[in-house]
Amino acid sequence: MNYKPNAREVGESIKQKLARYFGTAPEEATKDQLYKACAMSVKDILTQKRSDFRTQVNREGKKRIYYMSIEFLLGRSLKTNLHNLELAEAYNEALAEYGTDLDSLYECEPDAGLGNGGLGRLAACFMDSLTSLDYPACGFSLCYEYGLFKQRIIDGVQIEIPDVWLPGGEVWLVPRTDRIFKVRFGGTVRENWREDGRCEITYEDCEEIEAVPYDMMISGYDCAAVNQLRLWKARDIHHFNMGLFTQGQYTKALEKSTNAEILTKSLYPSDNHIEGKLLRLSQQYFLASASTQSIVRDHMAVYGRIDTLPDKVSIHINDTHPALCIPELMRILIDDYTLDWDTAWDIVTRTVSYTNHTVMPEALETWQEDLFRFRLPRIYMILKEINERFCKQAWEAFPGNWNRISNMSIISYGQIKMANLSVIASHTVNGVSKLHSQILVDTVFKDFYHMYHNRFDNVTNGIAHRRWLCFSNPQLAGLLDECIGTQYRKDPKTLSEFIKFADDKTVLDRLGEIKYNNKVAFANYYNRITGRRIDPNSVFDVQIKRLHEYKRQLLNALNIISLYIRLKDNPNFQMQPMTFLFGAKAAPGYDMAKRIIKLICCLSEEIEKDPVIREKLRVVFLEDYNVSLAEKLIPSAEISEQISLAGKEASGTGCMKLMINGAMTIGTLDGANVEMLDAVGEENISIFGLNAKEVEALWLSGYRSVLFYGDNAILRRVVDSLNIGFNGESFSDIAGYLLAGYGIADPYMCLADFESYRLAHLSLTEKYADKDLWNKMSLKNIAAAGHFAADRSIREYADRIWKLKPVDGIKK
Ligand code: 26W
């Protein structure tokens, strides 16, 4: 089949789709219909290419990776697919005939926002690299009817609006009603010991829910592979009570199905904070069970025997949320395939690996034991057995050391600990940056590290550089193509060749121009959407990430307030005009995060009312930050704020997207920043603040924020100004929190890092006046960013953890 139709063929296929699905012709079609027609025609190409790829994978008997994640933050697909397939030109040419172009159709596609932040976006970037590198891979997640809420800001207050994405997003999904599995909840488990010594398991009064797969094809760049992401939707087994329906009781008839279907209604919007809700546990088991059943079924269909599973299948759990695949695989192997415990356990532990994404204690998942037993009785029995066997082993390693054993135990004090389960059953456990992986073995998993020395590894995160550089910053990609050729698109480490142009004035000027053009484009977009203005001649200083105290948007705000006070004292104060841009969603129940949004918004409003000051200082809170907004904003960013308290941010990936687009990082020695410093050199990144060891020491010795307050007149004025507040709203609660008048001091130590941050920021913005110097630093960041591509991360996972090989016979 022809994967590369020409413009005429593309035009023909769009026309056919319009006629068939909308009964309309190109000239009469709406933009939305044209978008859908394009998407459907692209899907046809992917389907065919996928079928060829699958045949090849099976013929070569290749091992597959199954990547399980409760979140996949995909964003839009049309643009990525067209660029990956190198078909954008043909489509544009065809669409020109119909009086439109791709750029306007892209905007019709809703973001698939099936994730909160870093963890979900990483999963999406990894699928891109897995495919581009020709590895056979399948992602598993849930088909949430509502993705992450849409954010409206009204008078500085975040309002959450349901995110209805399916009407425009479902063109990419293929329902596979031939691959439905059943997932069981609740009820009673009966063990019937048979004469042959086997134990037969039966269930009474349990609830069975159908898992219906919706598959999305994942394209890669310049490769043979098309992989898939399988999203499970919950469906009531009884579908419909016909009896009631015919009696005219419509609502009653539907009632039962609504209960089951609530499972995949909505994504939990909290990032880094678990609530231990029954529905969440059910979602996790639903994902784990359906996916594991699907993996085993597919393996048996190709190989016909279960013992080769670890040779042909690798299952990766993206944090602990899908960890119930461990007892679920045990269940299938023992109950359905009649394997004995040891054989089953051997298969499981050679198949599963686990990445940890956070050390924040409130994000480490635990479930109440009684709730768990009630909802998942068979899985509970299996966990008990895993735990008992583990504890025996731990006793041998640490005889008599109850404390240690209880720390590592899966079940203790009425709690089920998912991280412990994940470590015990995985052949490899990794963190997501060097620092984070080190912290894991030094703290959270210290005892496990003693027992299982070789199990721990590090794979530093990476980003889909094609999406985040090539496709979203075409001007910069064009300059790179001219300077170093197009090789870096396939092999991002060759971006390093760009360093040869560090002293080339023409290239540096071009870089400056491109950044300026991107700033103008963003300012225009912002103006179109909000009616407000931002000055493209000011420095674009960007902090984009979930709103969390540990990420310290508040520290950024405090520094802005210090600049504002300085300008109010002396409106003639000469400074580099600055625009501080924030994009962040707060978890709906996270009050402090919402107060910080309010502070930023009030500050913004107050400054906006001052015609003199706003020429030099502007604060912008961007509503509804999501993947598509990130793609528009990041190419225009000049300063990247990565200012979390050292030791708290596992990696960060936004930092990488900004770096590869030439922004200068101001950051602490946290997460991936540490490795960015190594890659780019200290003259090209602005590092400030306490390092992780110093944070720990200060915490242990007792952090007293008032000492920092007392020592620094500027800081005193900044904190005091919160009491009067901004735009008529007092923020004395935040002042109180920072100073810990009552209770515990701000655990993220904003005041401890304030002065160091302020000075670093000042000296960085002073450098901006020297255009050549700035552009050179920017160029060096781009040249050093290749290491932070997901292609590199995925190769590391494939070689060291999954033992995976790409398909051989590359046929594109
Ligand atoms: C509600 C429970 C919960 C707990 C943790 C939901 C989500 C999480 C995630 C693990 C939080 C998360 O997204 N972590 C981020 O993962 C990124 C990818 O590795 C890292 O770059 C970020 O530093 C880390 O915060």
Side-chain angles (χ1 to χ4, degrees), residues 70-71 116-120 122 268-275 280 284 318-319 321 355-358 362-365 432 461 550-551 648-654:
I70 199 91
E71 303 186 6
N116 275 287
L119 166 115
L122 187 78
Y268 271 89
S270 83
D271 182 66
N272 258 304
H273 183 85
I274 78 130
E275 277 179 287
R280 170 99 177 167
Q284 294 189 358
N318 198 25
D319 216 278
H321 321 131
T355 300
N356 169 287
H357 294 265
T358 179
E362 65 269 34
L364 294 177
E365 289 196 299
V432 289
N461 281 168
Y550 86 79
K551 295 179 188 279
K648 302 292 178 201
E649 188 70 272
S651 161
T653 45

Side-chain angles (χ1 to χ4, degrees), residues 535-579:
D535 176 8
N537 291 304
S538 63
V539 184
F540 280 20
D541 181 310
V542 170
Q543 187 170 17
I544 39 178
K545 48 188 82 250
R546 284 299 288 257
L547 214 141
H548 200 292
E549 288 158 88
Y550 86 79
K551 295 179 188 279
R552 298 202 295 194
Q553 282 93 350
L554 182 54
L555 178 60
N556 189 345
L558 295 178
N559 181 52
I560 298 171
I561 295 171
S562 82
L563 292 171
Y564 178 44
I565 291 176
R566 193 154 180 184
L567 283 169
K568 278 210 293 195
D569 286 353
N570 174 14
N572 294 320
F573 170 65
Q574 283 308 305
M575 65 172 262
Q576 194 62 58
M578 300 288 304
T579 300

Side-chain angles (χ1 to χ4, degrees), residues 444-462:
V444 202
F445 297 142
K446 191 172 175 202
D447 297 327
F448 280 122
Y449 188 53
H450 267 94
M451 270 182 84
Y452 306 128
H453 213 78
N454 297 325
R455 199 168 285 195
F456 291 87
D457 198 351
N458 168 252
V459 182
T460 298
N461 281 168

Side-chain angles (χ1 to χ4, degrees), residues 426-489:
S426 298
H427 55 79
T428 313
V429 176
N430 75 285
V432 289
S433 71
K434 281 185 187 163
L435 175 67
H436 168 62
S437 296
Q438 191 58 48
I439 291 175
L440 283 181
V441 296
D442 287 345
T443 63
V444 202
F445 297 142
K446 191 172 175 202
D447 297 327
F448 280 122
Y449 188 53
H450 267 94
M451 270 182 84
Y452 306 128
H453 213 78
N454 297 325
R455 199 168 285 195
F456 291 87
D457 198 351
N458 168 252
V459 182
T460 298
N461 281 168
I463 55 160
H465 75 289
R466 286 164 290 268
R467 177 183 282 258
W468 295 104
L469 165 64
C470 306
F471 310 155
S472 65
N473 195 346
Q475 289 191 26
L476 178 55
L479 177 63
L480 286 163
D481 292 348
E482 276 176 46
C483 292
I484 61 171
T486 56
Q487 179 67 16
Y488 71 95
R489 292 172 179 250

Side-chain angles (χ1 to χ4, degrees), residues 16 130 180 192 207 271 282 384 408 412 538 576 624 636 691 759:
Q16 272 179 20
L130 279 164
I180 294 173
N192 313 310
E207 183 186 356
D271 182 66
S282 307
K384 286 279 275 190
M408 292 189 289
S412 82
S538 63
Q576 194 62 58
D624 199 36
S636 77
N691 65 29
L759 294 175

Side-chain angles (χ1 to χ4, degrees), residues 237-271:
I237 211 124
H238 314 288
H239 302 301
F240 216 65
N241 190 328
M242 251 329 197
L244 287 174
F245 192 70
T246 46
Q247 290 158 36
Q249 300 188 50
Y250 294 96
T251 26
K252 261 235 167 88
L254 288 167
E255 222 160 56
K256 207 159 183 237
S257 64
T258 352
N259 286 338
E261 281 153 24
I262 198 159
L263 265 187
T264 49
K265 264 275 169 255
S266 189
L267 167 81
Y268 271 89
S270 83
D271 182 66

